[in-house]
Structure formats: C-alpha cells, structure tokens
Amino acid sequence: MSALVSAIPILLLIVLMMGFKVSGYKSAIVTLVVTVLLALFAVPAMGIMPEKFADVSIYGITVWSVVEGLLKACFPIILIIICAIFSYNILCETKEIETIKTQFIQMTSDKGLLVLLLTWGLGGVLEGMAGFGTAVAIPAAILISLGFKPMFSAVICLVANTVAVGFGAVGLPATTLANQVAASGVASPEELCEVATFIILQLALMFYITPFLILMMTDRKKILKNITIALFVGTFSIIVQFCCAHFIGPETPAILGSVAAICAMLIYNKLFIKDENPADEVTVERKKFGLTKTLKAWSVYGLIIFFILISSKIVPPVNELLNSTLVTKFDLPVTGNAFKFGWLSNAGLMIFLGAVIGGLIQGLSFGKLLRLLAKTTLHLQKTVVTICCLVAMAMLMNNTGMTNDIAKGLVQLTGAVFPFFAPLIGSIGTFVTGSATNANILFGKLQATAAGDLGLVNQGTFFGVSGNETNWLAAANCAGSEGGKLLSPQSIAIATAACNMEGQDGDIMRKTMPFAIFWILMNGLMVFLGLHVF
C-alpha cells in the first residue's frame, strides 16, 4: 500500500498530461504541490522516511529538498537547454542554417537515411559528449529547419536518444552505476569495463530495432531497404561500442559508436543509394559550397563539439583543470546532500562559448548575441517552470523515501522473476528524475541488494561474456533507464522547447509511450534470457 501511495505523483503526472491533456508546466506545478502534501502528511504516517532523517523535521526536509531540486534544475539542465536553443537561434538569425540543411540533404537523397544521420548519428555524438538534452534539442531543431513537422521531429529525436544515454556525458551514467555497486564504493577499471559491457549486451537488439523504427517512422513504404540499413548501421554500432566498453570502459562507446554509425550510413549511401529526388518535405535547391562557406556555416556546432570534446575525460589534463577550478560546492541544510557545480567544466558553458564565438564568426555583434540570448531565455520560461518543478519533485520523492519505496514494492511483488522487471525500476528512476545518472544513483545499490537476496552473487557467462551476476542485474538498471527517457517529462519539455511546441507535452508522451513500453519489455527479456538461458 505504501508503494502505491508513493507512486501517486508519477501516476498523477501521467494522467494530467496524457488523460486530461494539461500542459507540461501546469501538470508539473500541480504534481509538485501534491508531492509536497504527500511528503508532509503521508510519508510520516507510512514510516518510509530514511533512517538518517529519523530525527529531522519533515518540514525542513520538504523545504530543502525543493531548494535542492531548484538548484539542480538550473545548474546545469536549464542552462544547457537555453544554450542549445540559443545556438540554433544564432544559425537562424545569420541564415547559415540554410547552408547546413542543404548540405545534409546533399549527403543523401534518401529521406530515411537523412533522418537517421541527424538523430542516431549526430544525436548519438552529442549525447556521448554532452548529454543533458543536447541530443534532442539540436537535432530536432535542425529537422524542423529541413521541413519536417515539429511533432515528428520531437518524437523521433526522443526515440533515437535512447541507446546512447547510458554512456552519455562521457560515460557518466554507467560510471556512476559501477561505483554504486562496487564493494569498495569506487569501481576498478575491470569493474567499469564489465558493467559497460553488460549494458551493451542487454541493449544488443535495440542497436538494430531502434534504427529500424526511426527509418519506418520516416518512410514506411521501403520496409526491405529499412531492414537492410538497420542491420548494416546497427552492426557497425554494436561492434564498435562493444569493443570500447569491453577494452576501454564507459567513456567512449556512445561517441565512437555514433561516429562509426555515421561512417556506416555514408558508406551505405555511396554504395547503394541512387541519386533520387529529395522527399516532398525537403525542398532545397542543390548547391556547391566552398571550404570557407562550409566552415563558417558549421562554426557554431563545430566549436560546440570541439569545446565539449577537449573539456571531457577524453583529454584528462584539461578535464582535471576545469573540474578543479571555480567549483561551487556546499552541503545543503537538513538533507545533508551536497550541491556541486563547476562553472568552467559544465556542458552549458561549452555550448555557450561555441555558440557565441561561432555567432561572431558568422557576422553577429556581441550586443546582438546578448539580445538573442535574452529573447531565447524569455521564450523558454514555461520550460524553465516545468523542469524546476519536476526536479524539485524528484528530489523530494528521493529524500523522503518515496522513490525507494516504489522500487522495494516492485522487488517484493515480483520475487524470483525480478530480473525481468529490473529495467522497469531504472526507467522509473529516469522518469522521475529525467536523468539516467540519477536513476543509477537512486536504484543501482537496490539492484545489487536484490541480486544478493535472490542469490545472484556468482560468476557466470552472459551471451558468451563472463562476469558477475550482481553486475549483470545492476546493468539492467542503466539499460532500463534509457527507456525511461522516452517518457521523462523533463526530456519531453526539452523536445517541446526545441520544436516550439509548448503545451503539447501530453501529445508527445502519448506518442512515445508505445516505444517506451516496448523498450522496457525488450530490456527485461534480454536481462532474463542472459541470466537464465544464455
């Protein structure tokens, strides 16, 4: 019963957005208010408060949990969203978006391959390097500029931004998970590689199914061609990502795997795609561009990728310097949690620098850029409210024990078949928090504990790869969290902002729901088969 009461905020949010078609920001405000009331009155009655808060005032926990959520919403999530949309608005202001979209169309005359390049290829690279919504916001904006409908652009970018999520932001979610389940609290390189490899194995089928779904959503008439491309691109992706995870660790699978996918698409296009007329939705005259014009048009996104890359773990000296300079860190009262934000190391700053320098290269004055940034920020005010409320709700549910109570209830309910439902717990964590990293923080240890309760503590072989059963079950949390991204109100809020669809959050959620359910079921099947069959 307590787990059901704890789930009220999640159920309410879904009902408001999908059932009553209430806009995202209004649904988020109402849900936050209800969560506060539950925290103040229901949580003490149910006795689910974490032990460390046993002698702490529930009012203090509630207030400071909301404050913690607001801080984490602004830094870095909202900062990244604003800067990502700002970068796109610069291209629109300078008209260089026309050059980019023309060049994308001229890469291939096949509409499906074009969309796959942007969502699965470019989106995967952005997710691997930055995460935090960049893989949805930037490709969705480009798709709209190419003539695709906003709803299509929003939904297909959310569908595409799944497999790469576990290794987003240079492997942060997978690394966090490995540290959560490691006996010492800090995973060894071998443990990091094992957990990363298990995540890839559990997602194996989705490396083929997701590109196929993207292609079918774009063009349903060419089924055989779509199957062929999905098999071709998926094979390149999974081989590279598996090798990266198994031999290097969680930092590079999404980045190098997405680059491999882009190469595979271009190879396929060169070998098999005939020069056809562009699709009806995309009508851009063919042009030739010189190197100078190309570099100028791509200066914004090129510099963004450059800054994100050099500030990531791929370049350790720079990464370590930025992570240790101008870092704001303090303990929050009552909750005992810490807030940390690196002013020089966050992806938002890298996007901002790339956007501003690129904008100057493209001919805008600094004053014009600041006015455009202010206009972008004002336009996203409803998105800001939505995300602030949702992250505050997530922190409140976490600190008061509601989120953990939901997971424990599911463990008790499922018993021996729990491995099949393990990805669902990860997806719930991502739905609530909007972050695969936070989902792993919330439930990574719980998955390991459940494995111990079920006696899954031995060495085994999973689809031909040896490893620990506990790590296999823990990896299911990260694999499942990626499916939760499809329904996460925070991710949907980013999509609505990028596609100028504020107020249509519920419509997007209804369209992504079938994909999310399918994803979670497929993950559950792979986890169960790997543990008990293969």
Side-chain angles (χ1 to χ4, degrees):
M1 180 60 71
S2 64
L4 187 59
V5 174
S6 297
I8 287 176
I10 296 175
L11 298 174
L12 176 63
L13 191 62
I14 294 174
V15 169
L16 288 175
M17 293 178 65
M18 296 184 62
F20 294 97
K21 298 184 179 181
V22 180
S23 61
Y25 80 99
K26 292 179 181 178
S27 298
I29 292 172
V30 171
T31 305
L32 176 59
V33 171
V34 170
T35 307
V36 168
L37 293 175
L38 287 172
L40 291 175
F41 302 108
V43 168
M46 294 187 296
I48 62 172
M49 186 74 72
E51 291 183 7
K52 65 178 182 178
F53 296 139
D55 300 323
V56 180
S57 166
I58 187 63
Y59 297 100
I61 294 173
T62 301
V63 170
W64 283 105
S65 293
V66 172
V67 171
E68 180 182 4
L70 294 177
L71 286 171
K72 290 184 176 180
C74 294
F75 308 101
I77 300 172
I78 291 171
L79 178 63
I80 289 174
I81 295 169
I82 291 174
C83 291
I85 305 301
F86 172 55
S87 70
Y88 173 72
N89 287 342
I90 289 174
L91 292 170
C92 293
E93 187 71 24
T94 62
K95 310 298 183 185
E96 293 297 342
I97 193 65
E98 297 300 321
T99 302
I100 290 177
K101 76 179 185 181
T102 302
Q103 290 183 330
F104 261 111
I105 292 171
Q106 293 179 175
M107 285 183 186
T108 176
S109 59
D110 185 89
K111 181 174 67 171
L113 204 57
L114 173 63
V115 173
L116 198 63
L117 269 167
L118 280 167
T119 58
W120 183 257
L122 177 61
V125 172
L126 290 170
E127 179 65 37
M129 291 191 299
F132 295 100
T134 54
V136 173
I138 292 176
I142 296 176
L143 280 174
I144 291 175
S145 75
L146 289 170
F148 291 96
K149 295 179 180 179
M151 180 61 75
F152 171 86
S153 303
V155 172
I156 207 161
C157 285
L158 288 168
V159 170
N161 186 39
T162 45
V163 170
V165 166
F167 303 101
V170 199
L172 182 60
T175 302
T176 301
L177 175 67
N179 289 332
Q180 285 288 311
V181 300
S184 64
V186 179
S188 66
E190 293 76 17
E191 289 172 323
L192 286 169
C193 288
E194 182 173 304
V195 170
T197 301
F198 284 169
I199 294 170
I200 296 293
L201 291 175
Q202 292 172 7
L203 295 174
L205 289 179
M206 303 313 295
F207 278 94
Y208 298 100
I209 294 175
T210 305
F212 176 71
L213 291 175
I214 294 169
L215 291 165
M216 289 299 294
M217 290 169 66
T218 309
D219 188 354
R220 297 183 180 181
K221 296 179 181 179
K222 301 178 180 179
I223 298 178
L224 183 60
K225 182 213 71 174
N226 292 342
I227 293 174
T228 305
I229 294 177
L231 289 173
F232 190 78
V233 173
T235 300
F236 269 72
S237 298
I238 194 169
I239 289 175
V240 172
Q241 294 214 29
F242 178 85
C243 291
C244 289
H246 194 63
F247 298 108
I248 301 174
E251 292 85 5
T252 59
I255 299 172
L256 297 183
S258 298
V259 171
I262 292 173
C263 294
M265 289 180 235
L266 295 178
I267 291 170
Y268 186 93
N269 179 72
K270 186 71 173 177
L271 295 176
F272 303 111
I273 300 296
K274 296 180 181 179
D275 189 15
E276 303 168 351
N277 291 325
D280 293 338
E281 292 94 329
V282 184
T283 54
V284 180
E285 181 184 351
R286 285 188 171 274
K287 298 178 182 179
K288 291 185 178 180
F289 301 96
L291 179 61
T292 302
K293 178 65 174 176
T294 298
L295 291 176
K296 182 180 179 182
W298 280 94
S299 58
V300 170
Y301 289 148
L303 286 168
I304 288 173
I305 291 174
F306 171 74
F307 284 126
I308 289 174
L309 197 60
I310 65 169
S311 64
S312 71
K313 292 180 181 178
I314 295 175
V315 187
V318 177
N319 178 258
E320 291 170 6
L321 176 63
L322 294 178
N323 279 319
S324 60
T325 306
L326 289 179
V327 177
T328 297
K329 183 178 180 180
F330 55 86
D331 293 327
L332 292 162
V334 183
T335 67
N337 297 334
F339 172 76
K340 181 180 179 181
F341 181 73
W343 294 95
L344 298 182
S345 61
N346 71 90
L349 176 63
M350 304 308 151
I351 298 172
F352 176 77
L353 288 175
V356 169
I357 297 174
L360 293 173
I361 292 172
Q362 292 178 2
L364 294 181
S365 66
F366 191 72
K368 178 69 175 178
L369 287 168
L370 290 180
R371 288 192 293 273
L372 189 59
L373 177 61
K375 182 179 177 181
T376 300
T377 305
L378 288 174
H379 182 70
L380 294 174
Q381 54 186 317
K382 290 181 180 178
T383 300
V384 170
V385 172
T386 301
I387 293 176
C388 282
C389 290
L390 291 173
V391 181
M393 180 191 82
M395 292 301 102
L396 183 55
M397 289 184 68
N398 183 31
N399 290 337
T400 57
M402 284 191 279
T403 304
N404 197 49
D405 193 51
I406 296 170
K408 285 184 176 180
L410 187 57
V411 172
Q412 294 173 0
L413 181 66
T414 57
V417 295
F418 172 74
F420 179 79
F421 294 95
L424 177 60
I425 290 181
S427 68
I428 291 172
T430 306
F431 178 89
V432 173
T433 66
S435 164
T437 302
N438 288 339
N440 290 332
I441 292 172
L442 283 176
F443 298 136
K445 196 69 176 179
L446 182 143
Q447 300 275 15
T449 302
D453 293 341
L454 295 170
L456 302 175
V457 294
N458 304 311
Q459 289 295 112
T461 301
F462 311 91
F463 297 107
V465 178
S466 61
N468 185 271
E469 290 177 331
T470 300
N471 286 340
W472 175 260
L473 196 60
N477 197 78
C478 193
S481 69
E482 300 173 13
K485 271 282 186 179
L486 285 162
L487 293 177
S488 169
Q490 294 178 44
S491 297
I492 291 174
I494 294 169
T496 58
C499 300
N500 196 21
M501 295 174 62
E502 290 188 352
Q504 299 184 51
D505 310 64
D507 295 330
I508 295 175
M509 184 179 285
R510 272 190 294 275
K511 289 184 177 294
T512 58
M513 177 70 79
F515 295 106
I517 294 173
F518 175 74
W519 178 282
I520 294 166
L521 289 174
M522 291 301 297
N523 281 167
L525 182 63
M526 291 294 287
V527 173
F528 189 84
L529 290 177
L531 195 60
H532 296 295
V533 180
F534 298 102

